[in-house]
Amino acid sequence: MKRLTLFIDADDTLLDFDKAETRAIIQTFEDLNLMKYDGIIESYKRNNLKAWKAFERGEITRDDISTERFKWCFSEFGIDGLNLLDVNTLYWSYLAKGADVIDGAREFLEEVKDTCDLYVITNGTAFIQDSRFMLSDMSKYFKKRYISENLNTRKPSKEFFDYIEKDIGIVDRNTSYIIGDSLSSDIQLGINANIKTIWFNRENKINEKNIMPDFEVKSFEELTKLINKLRD
């Protein structure tokens, strides 16, 4: 049986970012008396995703995300006069408490922790991801977390994986896999770095991009079976 190295995405693969995000932004907007604007939560989520995708493409900086997502959202409702950095700081304080774990993730990690070397790869903000992993008690499964803010680069840039390989040593491409829910971030990273990929497609999305994973699973049960098969 082969020992595998798994580089696993954090948000919406291991941790339930949508649940944490929704709770944090509702709390933030309640504090700022903004929940009176119908549809503001949906607007924020749409603009937050827009900002992160722009960051993935290298069109804006990490610092830009913190303000642009709120600027775009508030402009839709004619909201002004708020310090966007202060709004972001308040939001982050709530998001850092979002330790919700995707169903089946803990059981999967328990199953593979003794037969695989496990690493987290994420584009998240360092103190937020560190807090969420600590509160969820998920850190114990991983040898290390690689967070884009600390690496001064981002998924899917090849430089992201170059940093990892320099840090841990030569990665065996025959026994290593990147696992994540995002085609444009996780799977594209694998393609850029010549690492095999597993698309964790638990929402059963249609792949409309020209980004092809090596494998696709829709649940942790399927992922466990695949990993055991790959170890044979």
Side-chain angles (χ1 to χ4, degrees), residues 66 80 160:
S66 301
D80 55 23
F160 187 99

Side-chain angles (χ1 to χ4, degrees), residues 11 15 20 27 38 55 72 120 128 131 138 174 179 184 199-200 224 227 231-232:
D11 287 324
L15 300 178
Q27 291 171 313
D38 193 32
F55 173 67
W72 297 336
V120 171
I128 292 176
S131 172
M138 295 281 275
N174 294 314
I179 303 170
S184 60
W199 185 26
F200 187 65
T224 301
I227 294 302
R231 290 187 60 241
D232 287 342

